[in-house]
Amino acid sequence: MSPNWGQLPALAITNVFQHLDHPDRLNASTVCWHWRFFKRIQFDVAREQNKKNGFFLQKLAHIVSEAKITFDSCNLYDVELAAEILFKLSKSARLLSLSILPKYATLVTPGRFYSEEEWNYILKLFVQPLVVLLGRKNPPLRALDLGCSEILALHASDLLNFTAKPQYLERLAFATVKQDPGHYPLGLIEAPLFEKCTALRVLTIDYDNLCDELLQTLQVLPLRQLIVHVHGIDEDHFGLSEEAWANFRGKNPETELHLTLVCAYEAVDILHTHILRPSMPLTHLKVLFCEKINCEALEYLSLQYSETLRSLIWVDSMRIEEYRNIMELVMHTEQDPLVMMAWRCKKLQELIVHGYMLDPHNVVGVARLRGRELKVLEISGIHISMPSIMVTPFNEEVSAQLGRKWCPLDAKTLPPALRFYPVSDEVRDQYILNHIRKDIME
């Protein structure tokens, strides 16, 4: 097999080019597009990566158009290394897209959570370099991802205020994962700040910031994807009206709405009564570690979003015994709500359920109804009354319907965050962030 020279690492290409004079560099750069332009660069912050990251900063940071910074946000040393990289990137004249990607929901600082010391620390190390980038006019920044960081997103309003050319912004990721979903400060973003973002295609935002006025502002933007995170439900939040969603959908018929509940222990109970609205253009729903499955909400989903819903992910840990009660899935309805969803929702392509025991006959029913159009079917709990001799025929039947080899996840293949034993918040955060980030459109 011939080598793919276009996939040589940037580090290797840069080292080679250092030994060439200018005419030879020009000739070599014509070999392929990748050798001519270093479009993307990712900084994986860690002490052992210091030499590599330093080289990238010195040789490539001033010419790349996209940069990502991943770091251990529970390690103060790595946080400050990430801030140093961000400061140097803020001097770049070519950077168009920046993603700050902490590995966990917590971002440690020398001060206490929500203290003035913490606020000033974040302001100096992270917010001020971002203000410099957003304040640049030529070329203007086009994409900013705050990596679900709660403390960074509290400054979202200031960042928009300091943006020199908001009309060039195409992607903004301001949604968060909370350190404490039951108690957190609200960083409200006023609707007029989005009025000049006339090129905005992708927006992630917390439900706390959404209101009818903001939805009215967003409906005139060319949004292709709106991702909303739900945590706690503030008693002063009035929710969004059916009329507002109907107007939004009328103006944006192609927009995907991704709704994600993260450790939303109260919101999961009122999902179908206070949050979901019939005119929502809902395509993806994630319910992550909310410690309950809401069968009435599942029924509502299949009735109201039969023409739009493409993905359902409902995930809890298997470690608490009461989560595994199969009756929770049929308690309020005569029919299994997942089977009804597979029947009604003609665009359903992904179904992931963990933390709850499922009837194997109904799993087969889902596979038969969706067939090969169901690209992802991931479950881990099959009711224990199923005889072991029937496990292989069951797997074979589902595999035949899906057109590929299939079996439920077991104790060995389950992600650590979903297994029977307790795990740290950091392990759970990584699982949550991986699921959330993969959906954001480039």
Side-chain angles (χ1 to χ4, degrees):
M1 185 174 63
S2 60
N4 188 341
W5 297 106
Q7 293 185 355
L8 278 177
L11 186 65
I13 298 173
T14 308
N15 272 327
V16 171
F17 272 46
Q18 280 185 317
H19 297 284
L20 303 178
D21 56 26
H22 185 65
D24 289 336
R25 287 182 188 178
L26 292 177
N27 290 333
S29 69
T30 63
V31 171
C32 69
W33 184 92
H34 179 70
W35 288 22
R36 190 178 306 172
F37 301 103
F38 297 107
K39 185 179 180 182
R40 299 181 181 90
I41 191 169
Q42 178 161 330
F43 295 93
D44 297 311
V45 177
R47 192 183 300 268
E48 61 271 17
Q49 298 288 337
N50 283 354
K51 186 175 181 180
K52 176 183 174 182
N53 289 335
F55 178 86
F56 281 171
L57 283 171
Q58 182 182 1
K59 301 296 183 181
L60 301 177
H62 63 290
I63 61 174
V64 296
S65 59
E66 300 178 27
K68 295 182 179 181
I69 308 172
T70 63
F71 60 101
D72 181 351
S73 52
C74 290
N75 183 312
L76 185 59
Y77 177 80
D78 286 358
V79 169
E80 296 192 345
L81 282 179
E84 181 181 341
I85 291 172
L86 174 61
F87 175 78
K88 292 180 179 178
L89 286 173
S90 71
K91 308 296 183 181
S92 169
R94 296 191 181 184
L95 192 64
L96 302 178
S97 173
L98 175 65
S99 299
I100 302 172
L101 304 174
K103 293 181 180 179
Y104 312 112
T106 300
L107 198 160
V108 298
T109 69
R112 294 177 293 104
F113 288 147
Y114 311 134
S115 67
E116 183 178 355
E117 183 181 2
E118 179 191 54
W119 182 268
N120 292 332
Y121 182 86
I122 295 297
L123 186 68
K124 180 179 178 181
L125 267 67
F126 288 91
V127 178
Q128 290 178 0
L130 290 175
V131 166
V132 172
L133 275 172
L134 289 164
R136 192 188 60 201
K137 294 183 178 180
N138 188 25
L141 198 69
R142 297 180 183 273
L144 177 63
D145 185 345
L146 298 183
C148 296
S149 170
E150 176 184 359
I151 188 64
L152 294 182
L154 287 173
H155 296 271
S157 182
D158 291 334
L159 294 176
L160 287 175
N161 268 314
F162 284 107
T163 302
K165 291 190 174 182
Q167 66 270 28
Y168 287 93
L169 286 170
E170 298 176 3
R171 189 172 75 251
L172 288 172
F174 289 157
T176 69
V177 173
K178 305 298 185 186
Q179 298 177 40
D180 180 356
H183 176 73
Y184 54 88
L186 298 177
L188 300 180
I189 308 175
E190 296 180 356
L193 290 174
F194 288 102
E195 290 178 353
K196 295 182 179 179
C197 301
T198 53
L200 195 63
R201 297 182 298 105
V202 178
L203 174 65
T204 82
I205 194 168
D206 284 344
Y207 185 77
D208 301 298
N209 289 309
L210 273 185
C211 60
D212 284 5
E213 180 188 2
L214 179 54
L215 205 58
Q216 184 177 2
T217 299
L218 297 180
Q219 74 184 26
V220 300
L221 305 181
L223 280 179
R224 289 294 171 264
Q225 188 182 52
L226 176 61
I227 299 177
V228 179
H229 289 190
V230 182
H231 307 96
I233 298 293
D234 188 79
E235 60 183 12
D236 295 326
H237 193 287
F238 297 107
L240 282 81
S241 68
E242 164 65 9
E243 181 183 4
W245 279 114
N247 291 336
F248 177 86
R249 187 170 180 175
K251 295 288 182 66
N252 298 273
E254 303 301 320
T255 302
E256 294 183 4
L257 174 63
H258 295 229
L259 188 65
T260 301
L261 278 68
V262 185
C263 302
Y265 310 117
E266 297 177 359
V268 68
D269 281 325
I270 58 173
L271 175 60
H272 58 297
T273 57
H274 288 69
I275 299 174
L276 296 176
R277 296 289 181 261
S279 293
M280 278 180 164
L282 185 66
T283 58
H284 296 68
L285 175 68
K286 293 181 179 65
V287 182
L288 308 177
F289 300 100
C290 294
E291 299 189 358
K292 179 179 181 179
I293 195 159
N294 184 334
C295 294
E296 292 175 330
L298 290 175
E299 180 72 7
Y300 187 99
L301 287 170
S302 65
L303 288 171
Q304 300 297 337
Y305 309 114
S306 59
E307 300 300 321
T308 60
L309 190 66
R310 301 209 300 265
S311 171
L312 173 69
I313 299 174
W314 205 298
V315 168
D316 275 302
S317 167
M318 291 289 288
R319 71 183 180 87
I320 299 179
E321 185 69 28
E322 53 265 30
Y323 291 178
R324 304 197 297 276
N325 185 356
I326 190 174
M327 292 307 295
E328 290 194 58
L329 278 177
V330 294
M331 191 178 297
H332 303 291
T333 59
E334 295 180 359
Q335 300 290 337
D336 185 297
L338 298 179
V339 173
M340 299 305 294
M341 184 177 295
W343 176 51
R344 292 169 176 155
C345 299
K346 304 305 181 185
K347 296 183 179 179
L348 189 67
Q349 298 178 352
E350 180 177 48
L351 180 60
I352 297 176
V353 180
H354 292 297
Y356 302 90
M357 284 293 180
L358 306 181
D359 187 323
H361 300 91
N362 291 336
V363 175
V364 171
V366 169
R368 286 176 176 170
L369 286 165
R370 298 303 307 140
R372 300 187 180 208
E373 294 181 7
L374 191 61
K375 306 301 182 185
V376 178
L377 175 60
E378 185 180 299
I379 62 173
S380 53
I382 298 299
H383 195 244
I384 56 177
S385 64
M386 182 180 184
S388 58
I389 195 174
M390 293 298 296
V391 171
T392 298
F394 162 71
N395 291 345
E396 290 175 348
E397 173 65 16
V398 176
S399 298
Q401 298 299 327
L402 299 179
R404 60 185 182 274
K405 188 175 182 180
W406 180 91
C407 64
L409 300 188
D410 57 23
K412 294 181 179 179
T413 54
L414 263 178
L418 304 181
R419 294 176 187 173
F420 288 85
Y421 50 81
V423 297
S424 65
D425 289 344
E426 288 77 15
V427 171
R428 188 191 61 187
D429 286 352
Q430 283 192 309
Y431 181 88
I432 291 172
L433 291 171
N434 286 340
H435 261 294
I436 288 173
R437 288 171 180 166
K438 70 178 182 181
D439 277 355
I440 301 177
M441 291 179 177
E442 293 294 331

